[in-house]
Amino acid sequence: NEPVNQSLLRGITDYMAFRGLDARQIWHKENIGFGHTLLRTTSEQEGEKQPFTLNERVWIAADIRLDGRKNLVIALQARGRVVDENRPDVELLLHAYHVWDTACVEHLQGDFVFIVWDERQQRLFCGRDHFGILPFYYAQVNNTLICSNTLNCIRLHPQVSTDLNQKAVGDFLTRGMNMEWDTTIFNDIKRLPPAHTLTWQAGQSKPQELTIQKYWQLPRIQPLIFYKKPQEYVEHFSELFEQAVSDRLR
């Protein structure tokens, strides 16, 4: 319930300049603040601006590249949303949130991390892609929650300590990597595991704790398929391969 430190928000956002050279923007309102740097890599992003909103009440900041856009657009149109395939990924994601709320992650494909602030419900909702291709870090210290796709941005916050996570250090020395999905080398800074969401919602009488929830897991291996003719294996593989490539193309 404290106002955002605008100078600190601007400084943390400036630090992320290396991630996006095309635009840099901050947005804040009372006790919530977003910072974003944009790197345009697709034609749909020509007019993109982040942080982004559709109604001035729900805001999003994201690092995102959606796959399977055609199917997502069709599903959104079926729910009455006015969208097309020329819309930027972040806009499609926010439409998905308006349609399916926190279940929107179940309709997404691709590489993404995002933060949504829903003023209507006083809720912060964050998500990370299925395989953790893009990083998502967060720290909850005192009455402050800091989230970013850049670990050193969180370290810039004065309330985040430099105390090391001794278990993670040990993993690095003995195994070459941190063996825990949800920690980092710093005690105060955590990682959101792949295929998980993070939710924080303001409580009526006391602050709510963070909720970390898994939304997907790798399906079990299907039974082996046996065809009578070798060419049928080739045809089946070609069909799957074409679909996989098509989902990733614009």
Side-chain angles (χ1 to χ4, degrees):
N1 294 321
E2 293 183 4
V4 168
N5 183 328
Q6 298 179 34
S7 175
L8 179 60
L9 176 62
R10 190 171 293 106
I12 292 177
T13 305
D14 289 344
Y15 181 89
M16 288 197 302
F18 72 95
R19 287 203 178 275
L21 304 177
D22 296 322
R24 191 183 315 170
Q25 189 69 36
I26 64 171
W27 169 84
H28 56 85
K29 184 176 183 180
E30 298 171 352
N31 62 334
I32 185 79
F34 282 174
H36 188 270
T37 59
L38 178 65
L39 180 65
R40 294 188 175 95
T41 58
T42 68
S43 59
E44 295 87 5
Q45 289 181 301
E46 287 303 316
E48 178 181 319
K49 292 183 179 180
Q50 290 199 51
F52 177 74
T53 185
L54 291 168
N55 59 5
E56 300 292 330
R57 301 195 68 186
V58 181
W59 289 81
I60 185 172
D63 181 5
I64 179 173
R65 195 213 74 248
L66 286 182
D67 297 335
R69 286 165 48 91
K70 182 177 181 180
N71 290 338
L72 178 60
V73 168
I74 291 174
L76 290 171
Q77 291 174 342
R79 298 296 295 267
R81 308 302 292 190
V82 181
V83 295
D84 56 52
E85 288 191 64
N86 295 319
R87 296 292 87 201
D89 290 338
V90 68
E91 185 171 335
L92 295 181
L93 196 162
L94 191 54
H95 275 287
Y97 176 82
H98 279 283
V99 170
W100 295 295
D101 200 60
T102 59
C104 62
V105 288
E106 299 172 12
H107 300 264
L108 304 179
Q109 298 179 48
D111 305 337
F112 56 85
V113 287
F114 66 86
I115 303 174
V116 169
W117 169 245
D118 191 332
E119 183 179 304
R120 305 165 303 177
Q121 304 186 63
Q122 290 293 292
R123 181 177 67 194
L124 196 73
F125 178 67
C126 313
R128 188 179 181 194
D129 62 68
H130 301 68
F131 296 104
I133 302 300
L134 298 180
F136 188 99
Y137 305 100
Y138 66 96
Q140 186 178 25
V141 288
N142 299 326
N143 64 339
T144 302
L145 176 66
I146 314 108
C147 305
S148 180
N149 64 344
T150 306
L151 185 144
N152 280 339
C153 282
I154 296 180
R155 293 186 63 202
L156 292 175
H157 197 285
Q159 294 184 24
V160 176
S161 77
T162 58
D163 294 343
L164 295 179
N165 175 355
Q166 298 298 329
K167 190 175 186 302
V169 173
D171 282 347
F172 275 117
L173 294 176
T174 59
R175 303 187 181 188
M177 63 180 293
N178 184 1
M179 303 303 294
E180 303 292 333
W181 284 108
D182 57 352
T183 66
T184 71
I185 200 168
F186 298 100
N187 269 335
D188 281 352
I189 304 177
K190 312 297 183 185
R191 284 190 299 178
L192 185 64
H196 279 68
T197 61
L198 178 155
T199 305
W200 179 92
Q201 189 161 11
Q204 297 296 325
S205 58
K206 63 179 181 179
Q208 296 286 329
E209 294 183 357
L210 292 182
T211 301
I212 308 295
Q213 187 169 355
K214 189 172 187 177
Y215 66 84
W216 178 86
Q217 63 182 8
L218 191 66
R220 293 181 177 180
I221 298 176
Q222 298 298 315
L224 294 177
I225 298 174
F226 295 97
Y227 291 119
K228 292 182 178 180
K229 299 179 181 179
Q231 182 60 27
E232 292 178 300
Y233 292 104
V234 177
E235 293 172 354
H236 190 178
F237 173 83
S238 297
E239 179 184 345
L240 294 175
F241 186 71
E242 183 175 337
Q243 179 185 344
V245 174
S246 177
D247 281 342
R248 291 182 67 89
L249 294 177
R250 296 281 156 172

